[in-house]
Amino acid sequence: MPAKELLQADQTLFRNPDLFDPEHLPEHVLHRESQMRGLQFCLKPAAEGRGKPVNALCIGTMATGKTTAVRTLFTQLEETTPNLVPVYIHCQVNATRYLVASHMYKKLYGHMPPHSGLSFEKVFSKVAKTLAESQRQMVVALDDIQYLFREKEIDAVLNSLLRAHETQPGASIGVVAIYSGEQFEYPLDPRVYSVFMPEEVRFDRYTRDQVHDILASRAREGFYPGVAGPEIIDRVADIAAATGDLRIGIDLLRRAALQAERQARRRIAPEDLETAHEKSRKVHLTMLLGGLRKEEKTLLKHICENEAKAGELQQKFEKETKLGYTTFHETLKRLEGLGLIHLEFTGKGTKGRSRIPKLHPRFPYQRQEILQVLQTQ
């Protein structure tokens, strides 16, 4: 390659590397316009000072843009609507009502509650009182809300948030729940559901054309001109669409560009992409499995080791974890909601409903790859 075509040591292919960061929030969420309008509709009464927010339930499988849409909208609200306080809480790591209240407290005061043994009631009471006195409303996003069910905290959390005005007149708190799965199957206490009554905002999987459009937009804004040619975008779109995970495509573009930089190339070559793809597969799988809870890893391991009926898996799961049927069933639903497994009905058993949990056909990893990573965690 002529020297003039080589990338110099002080040059880069990235015009804006932040666009390839997993935590990046785009200014415009492509192909989620109707969902954004649905969420805006729910929050409009509070944003305009005309009433309480309408509670919302964002539902869809993994990597369908639920979190990005909510966090982007919350960022916009924070910049434009001072009387509405948005709070985003990830329930996988904040699965108790005390932690939920603590993050609401932090949003108002800039720090977590003092470590002096304050009860949930005292922390939440101060939050509600401050909202009432300042005549502000709060909307709380509960991401991965299924973890509150697992800890049996969901009814207590929702009841406290949605009935805040009963203990502190003037306090108003709305909820945006984010759930990963095809259908919301968790039962709520009827008294809680009667005040929750969410507006459902559904997030379907991205089509291949939508994935291509989003990746092309990121490449156009994040790279210098000519770095990622049409054939590169096409190949990355095919890989991401096959996995059902847009994040894989965005990360793959970043890794391919870094590989091209190592080779001093001014544009991504097909061999850069294939090298990056091979490396990114294990990294992505390690990160994905690393985010699972211990019991989720245990059940996934048994599914990979044996193609057994759900009843047989339950016995192995209970023997190893000492956890009961309810936790087994919830863990199974969680793995299904993440798109890692699907339940295949055998046509046998009671009313032909006997099930065999299997790796999801869209999940791009083999049993042995999964087991190898699980052994290291």
Side-chain angles (χ1 to χ4, degrees):
M1 183 181 294
K4 65 179 181 180
E5 296 184 18
L6 292 174
L7 192 71
Q8 302 303 306
D10 61 343
Q11 295 178 318
T12 179
L13 303 181
F14 294 91
R15 176 160 52 189
N16 186 353
D18 290 344
L19 292 178
F20 304 96
D21 189 313
E23 297 299 315
H24 172 73
L25 294 179
E27 185 175 349
H28 302 289
V29 186
L30 294 179
H31 302 295
R32 287 295 177 255
E33 291 82 3
S34 64
Q35 289 84 355
M36 291 291 283
R37 286 195 298 270
L39 289 169
Q40 288 166 348
F41 168 80
C42 291
L43 303 183
K44 187 176 181 180
E48 295 181 349
R50 296 186 292 103
K52 296 181 179 180
V54 176
N55 301 314
L57 172 63
C58 299
I59 184 168
T61 55
M62 180 179 66
T64 50
K66 303 182 297 298
T67 297
T68 298
V70 171
R71 292 184 63 198
T72 298
L73 180 58
F74 274 24
T75 298
Q76 295 169 356
L77 286 171
E78 199 154 25
E79 294 172 350
T80 60
T81 315
N83 290 329
L84 183 59
V85 183
V87 185
Y88 170 83
I89 301 172
H90 192 187
C91 297
Q92 184 175 6
V93 291
N94 299 287
T96 68
R97 60 177 182 162
Y98 178 80
L99 287 172
V100 169
S102 294
H103 282 277
M104 295 164 65
Y105 182 103
K106 182 180 180 181
K107 190 69 177 185
L108 291 176
Y109 300 106
H111 58 84
M112 296 293 274
H115 297 289
S116 56
L118 287 182
S119 65
F120 161 80
E121 286 75 14
K122 289 185 177 180
V123 173
F124 186 76
S125 177
K126 187 167 184 179
V127 168
K129 184 178 181 181
T130 298
L131 289 173
E133 291 177 346
S134 62
Q135 297 185 322
R136 288 182 290 172
Q137 297 193 66
M138 179 175 280
V139 57
V140 179
L142 299 173
D143 200 352
D144 268 339
I145 193 175
Q146 53 266 30
Y147 282 102
L148 294 181
F149 284 92
R150 178 160 305 172
E151 301 299 329
K152 297 180 173 55
E153 289 274 0
I154 184 64
D155 288 327
V157 168
L158 289 179
N159 198 52
S160 298
L161 299 185
L162 300 175
R163 295 186 185 276
H165 61 281
E166 295 180 4
T167 56
Q168 181 62 59
S172 176
I173 301 173
V175 171
V176 175
I178 305 175
Y179 173 76
S180 292
E182 296 284 358
Q183 298 292 332
F184 188 74
E185 300 176 350
Y186 290 92
L188 288 170
D189 185 304
R191 292 167 296 180
V192 173
Y193 191 80
S194 68
V195 291
F196 184 33
M197 295 291 288
E199 183 78 16
E200 185 175 296
V201 182
R202 181 163 289 278
F203 288 72
D204 295 322
R205 287 183 179 274
Y206 291 108
T207 66
R208 193 270 180 192
D209 287 345
Q210 289 173 337
V211 169
H212 184 281
D213 191 29
I214 295 169
L215 293 175
S217 175
R218 291 289 177 100
R220 191 166 50 248
E221 297 176 19
F223 294 140
Y224 285 106
V227 169
E231 73 286 353
I232 296 298
I233 301 297
D234 283 343
R235 173 64 177 142
V236 176
D238 287 341
I239 293 171
T243 64
D245 194 336
L246 175 64
R247 297 169 299 185
I248 290 179
I250 294 172
D251 181 66
L252 189 50
L253 282 176
R254 179 183 68 86
R255 291 177 183 276
L258 290 173
Q259 177 64 21
E261 285 189 345
R262 291 190 190 97
Q263 302 301 319
R265 285 192 258 267
R266 292 183 176 274
R267 60 188 59 84
I268 299 171
E271 53 265 39
D272 297 322
L273 180 57
E274 295 311 316
T275 299
H277 185 209
E278 191 60 35
K279 291 180 179 179
S280 70
R281 278 178 55 82
K282 186 169 183 179
V283 171
H284 175 258
L285 181 60
T286 300
M287 291 178 60
L288 180 61
L289 299 184
L292 299 180
R293 290 191 167 189
K294 185 177 179 180
E295 63 269 23
E296 293 166 345
K297 294 178 183 180
T298 298
L299 183 53
L300 183 60
K301 180 192 71 171
H302 285 305
I303 292 172
C304 289
E305 289 176 342
N306 303 287
E307 197 168 280
K309 294 180 182 177
E312 297 172 34
L313 282 172
Q314 178 195 340
Q315 293 176 3
K316 293 180 180 180
F317 178 82
E318 291 183 1
K319 182 177 180 180
E320 184 168 344
T321 65
K322 310 303 180 187
L323 299 171
Y325 172 77
T326 300
T327 303
F328 167 79
H329 182 62
E330 290 176 351
T331 304
L332 202 64
K333 287 198 296 184
R334 171 63 176 161
L335 294 178
E336 186 179 28
L338 288 173
L340 304 182
I341 68 168
H342 73 126
L343 301 177
E344 187 173 290
F345 292 97
T346 66
K348 301 178 181 179
T350 305
K351 297 184 180 180
R353 304 296 287 174
S354 182
R355 304 170 301 170
I356 297 180
K358 294 184 177 182
L359 288 180
H360 199 287
R362 293 176 66 100
F363 193 55
Y365 300 98
Q366 302 300 315
R367 294 169 180 266
Q368 288 306 314
E369 291 180 288
I370 297 170
L371 290 171
Q372 287 173 4
V373 173
L374 288 175
Q375 287 172 359
T376 67
Q377 296 184 346

